[in-house]
Amino acid sequence: MSNSSHKSKETFSRTLIFVFIICLVCAALVSVSAISLKPLQKANRLLDQHTKILEAAGLSDVADKNGVDATFAKFVTAKFVNLATGDFTTGDHETYNERTDARDTAKSSAVKDTKVGLRRRADKAVIYLVKNDQGSINSVVLPIVGMGLWDIMYGYVGLEADLNTAKRVVYYDLKETPGLGAEVQNPKWKAKWKGKKMFDDKHNIAIQIVKGGAKKGDIHGVDALSGATLTSRGVNRTIHFWLGDEGYGPFIAKFGGKLNNGGLN
């Protein structure tokens, strides 16, 4: 073997070793960065969640003035609800993951109303009781999930303490088309929910997303999203599902109008 050939192999070997070391260093740096950023990522997710819950409860202005964390800590209490019975139950809401439970057959139930776009839903849910300065519950925020046009959408429904009068519907995780279905995040559309009644006098679900716009004075109608018929239909089905028997229906039937009178306060 010639001397030049030997040197060439030596150079190639050193290059491979060098590349391998660089890869190890880069992998270590990425790993360390991912671990060190986890607390910050968790804090940001929690901040966004609290922001959306306060918005659904109509407390965005208070949060802007006093800070999201301080406002949430002062006014909001998280509670677990057994969806089948409507009763409050126990659990750690800080570690709870609805998406994980919904996939676990031991912690979820098959969905009968498949129009909502779900196969299963978790057997319990975390709801948020929101108090006023006097300590009385004046809002309840209910998490919702259902199919839009392209994928599952996650959001919150804010109701007054009667569990009938809407405050806001706030979506926070969706893949709808910008300018069309994604208009569910438009403040003007979210404001259209305020004061609408979810149920009629006979306690039937009456809220409807109305294509072409709700008539003036319609206490059960909310304007559909312009040019986004399927997304609007998905929102309508989602709201109906979660207000019904497979969702928060049992809880609403048990505590509607009673949260501050023989219920919780």
Side-chain angles (χ1 to χ4, degrees), residues 108-122 241-242 246:
S108 64
S109 300
V111 170
K112 298 175 184 177
D113 182 6
T114 55
K115 290 182 180 179
V116 74
L118 306 175
R119 292 183 178 180
R120 308 187 68 84
R121 65 109 174 97
F241 174 84
W242 286 103
E246 292 193 80

Side-chain angles (χ1 to χ4, degrees), residues 128-146:
Y128 301 89
L129 306 179
V130 187
K131 297 184 178 182
N132 56 25
D133 285 317
Q134 289 71 46
S136 296
I137 297 170
N138 69 350
S139 304
V140 179
V141 177
L142 307 174
I144 57 172
V145 52

Side-chain angles (χ1 to χ4, degrees), residues 52-246:
K52 297 300 189 296
I53 291 169
L54 291 172
E55 182 184 0
L59 290 177
S60 291
D61 290 343
V62 179
D64 289 341
K65 181 180 178 181
N66 300 325
V68 172
D69 290 337
T71 303
F72 192 90
K74 180 178 180 180
F75 295 110
V76 182
T77 301
K79 292 281 188 179
F80 271 99
V81 169
N82 181 317
L83 294 177
T85 65
D87 295 316
F88 288 101
T89 186
T90 58
D92 183 356
H93 63 87
E94 291 187 358
T95 60
Y96 176 72
N97 188 315
E98 181 274 338
R99 303 184 195 196
T100 301
D101 270 24
R103 292 191 295 266
D104 187 337
T105 55
K107 299 178 180 180
S108 64
S109 300
V111 170
K112 298 175 184 177
D113 182 6
T114 55
K115 290 182 180 179
V116 74
L118 306 175
R119 292 183 178 180
R120 308 187 68 84
R121 65 109 174 97
D123 288 333
K124 60 183 181 180
V126 180
I127 69 168
Y128 301 89
L129 306 179
V130 187
K131 297 184 178 182
N132 56 25
D133 285 317
Q134 289 71 46
S136 296
I137 297 170
N138 69 350
S139 304
V140 179
V141 177
L142 307 174
I144 57 172
V145 52
M147 192 68 186
L149 171 60
W150 302 113
D151 206 343
I152 296 295
M153 304 195 302
Y154 295 84
Y156 297 106
V157 173
L159 301 176
E160 292 186 9
D162 61 3
L163 298 179
N164 184 20
T165 308
K167 286 198 166 184
R168 289 286 191 279
V169 170
V170 179
Y171 278 97
Y172 64 91
D173 187 352
L174 65 155
K175 298 177 182 177
E176 300 303 282
T177 307
L180 295 174
E183 287 297 290
V184 293
Q185 295 180 312
N186 188 317
K188 292 182 179 179
W189 186 79
K190 288 186 282 189
K192 293 180 182 293
W193 288 87
K194 186 173 176 61
K196 298 296 183 178
K197 300 295 183 180
M198 299 297 194
F199 301 91
D200 62 20
D201 293 339
K202 296 181 180 180
H203 305 292
N204 297 311
I205 301 172
I207 192 72
Q208 294 291 337
I209 309 294
V210 183
K211 186 176 181 179
K215 294 181 180 179
K216 186 177 180 180
D218 184 357
I219 62 171
H220 301 300
V222 178
D223 295 355
L225 298 163
S226 179
T229 300
L230 294 180
T231 301
S232 297
R233 189 177 299 163
V235 172
N236 198 71
R237 287 172 174 171
T238 297
I239 298 293
H240 277 239
F241 174 84
W242 286 103
L243 294 179
D245 292 340
E246 292 193 80

